[in-house]
Amino acid sequence: MLVDSPPEREERQLVAAPRRRRAARALGLLAAAGVLLLVAAASIAVGAKQIPPDQVWHGLFHYSGSDTDVVIRDVRLPRTLLGLLVGTGLGLAGAVMQALTRNPLADPGLLGVNAGASAAVVSAISFLGVTSLTAYVWFAFLGAAVVSTVVYVLGGSRSATPVRLALAGQAMTAALFGYLYAVQLLDTAALDKMRFWTVGSLASANASVVGQVLPFLAAGTLLALSLARPLNAIALGDDTARALGAHLTRTRVLAMAALTLLCGGATAACGPIVFVGLMVPHLVRALTGPDLRWILPYAAVLSPVLLLGADVVGRVVARPAELQVGIVTTLIGGPVFIYLVRRRRMAQL
């Protein structure tokens, strides 16, 4: 009977450890997907109006046109689907942003993309009289694309660095939010139309909005997931990334394009929703480690869990009215952000 020597046993354990970690991460991702299915089911079944489970089932699979069926099929189902899409987009955007800027506390608003989308939509409402959510989509993408381009140019284009991009983004964000507040104060007629959208809400979801943002959010999702390896290299520093063969300029341009698609689509559909893109990728990193090949899929699954969960809470706590999801995520995210900042500061002492 052969017995391994201590060096052979140690080598075998070193080889087996990564396999166990990959298996654990894969099982964790499957568990997260299961949680997402449960939260999505709750989003369809639970709301301001109480509907028995058998009627929820009837509305989904045996639609007859009754008032209850209309609530389930035409109101809650599109709202849930939009929450899934927007949550995935915000989570991936946050993870890409944190990798691109090498800042674990960055969020999708750091480079001004959300502010650009918001400014374009508010301008359309105030100056062009646009009131349709389906029209907001195109203005939001236009604003996100313009601001992304400006930030990239101000950040140095080919010589852009994470610090330059972050500074340019913060400057654009400050200027655009100043513009937003000025428009809202000067145009009181448009203020009522703006305030519901700017707070961040899934309440106006419908099949048309879902259909319009789906191609853009799907394209942004695929693009973000494809950037996991080069962004892993960039996270090690520019010099190391070049030594590993990463194309820095191309990766940053594609990352900005992914952020434009994800943030533009999410902001157009629901308005600016904060903290989702900050909290989830940061918390996921504690589970998976720094490898974006795992962070991105986990963020894509767990971010809609947070968004839909917050939406369900907002519908339940204020019955028969509801709190918009942007308010709930802010109430949750504020204390969490303070905790993360304090923990990071204590770790540096």
Side-chain angles (χ1 to χ4, degrees):
M1 178 175 165
L2 297 176
V3 179
D4 289 342
S5 63
E8 290 174 339
R9 191 180 307 115
E10 184 178 352
E11 182 179 355
R12 183 171 297 179
Q13 291 173 349
L14 290 174
V15 171
R19 294 177 182 173
R20 288 196 296 268
R21 284 197 296 269
R22 286 195 296 269
R25 289 168 179 169
L27 289 175
L29 190 58
L30 287 175
V35 173
L36 177 58
L37 288 176
L38 291 176
V39 174
S43 177
I44 296 173
V46 179
K49 178 181 179 181
Q50 296 184 352
I51 300 176
D54 60 324
Q55 295 186 27
V56 174
W57 183 267
H58 186 277
L60 286 174
F61 301 104
H62 305 284
Y63 185 82
S64 62
S66 66
D67 291 343
T68 301
D69 289 352
V70 169
V71 170
I72 296 298
R73 182 76 68 88
D74 298 335
V75 178
R76 291 188 185 175
L77 182 59
R79 183 169 182 162
T80 301
L81 292 174
L82 188 62
L84 288 170
L85 291 173
V86 170
T88 297
L90 292 174
L92 286 173
V96 170
M97 182 72 68
Q98 291 172 12
L100 187 64
T101 60
R102 297 202 286 270
N103 180 358
L105 295 180
D107 73 340
L110 185 63
L111 298 187
V113 181
N114 282 353
S118 300
V121 172
V122 168
S123 298
I125 293 172
S126 182
F127 302 123
L128 301 179
V130 175
T131 58
S132 170
L133 283 173
T134 55
Y136 292 171
V137 174
W138 304 105
F139 285 99
F141 277 120
L142 176 62
V146 169
V147 171
S148 296
T149 303
V150 172
V151 167
Y152 184 69
V153 171
L154 292 177
S157 298
R158 291 182 178 274
S159 61
T161 64
V163 174
R164 288 181 180 179
L165 288 173
L167 290 174
Q170 285 299 288
M172 288 296 298
T173 298
L176 289 171
F177 273 112
Y179 166 77
L180 286 172
Y181 297 142
V183 170
Q184 292 181 26
L185 288 173
L186 294 174
D187 191 348
T188 55
L191 179 59
D192 288 338
K193 301 174 186 176
M194 294 178 195
R195 64 184 179 184
F196 181 76
W197 179 82
T198 54
V199 76
S201 173
L202 293 171
S204 298
N206 57 54
S208 178
V209 173
V210 172
Q212 288 202 40
V213 300
L214 174 60
F216 299 100
L217 290 173
T221 297
L222 293 175
L223 182 56
L225 292 173
S226 71
L227 293 173
R229 288 183 181 274
L231 285 174
N232 271 341
I234 286 180
L236 299 174
D238 289 359
D239 293 336
T240 304
R242 291 191 187 95
L244 293 173
H247 195 297
L248 299 183
T249 301
R250 181 175 62 194
T251 300
R252 286 182 176 131
V253 169
L254 291 176
M256 292 293 289
L259 290 171
T260 299
L261 291 168
L262 295 170
C263 294
T267 304
C270 302
I273 297 177
V274 297
F275 287 119
V276 175
L278 184 152
M279 284 189 294
V280 176
H282 188 84
L283 296 175
V284 162
R285 191 176 291 105
L287 298 174
T288 66
D291 190 347
L292 283 160
R293 292 175 298 176
W294 289 102
I295 291 175
L296 291 174
Y298 266 88
V301 173
L302 290 177
S303 293
V305 169
L306 173 60
L307 188 65
L308 287 175
D311 189 45
V312 171
V313 169
R315 281 184 265 170
V316 171
V317 297
R319 283 175 174 168
E322 66 177 66
L323 289 177
Q324 303 308 320
V325 67
I327 297 174
V328 179
T329 57
T330 301
L331 292 174
I332 296 172
V336 172
F337 182 71
I338 293 172
Y339 167 74
L340 294 175
V341 171
R342 286 182 59 84
R343 190 180 70 172
R344 183 172 174 81
R345 182 180 177 184
M346 292 299 295
Q348 293 174 346
L349 292 178

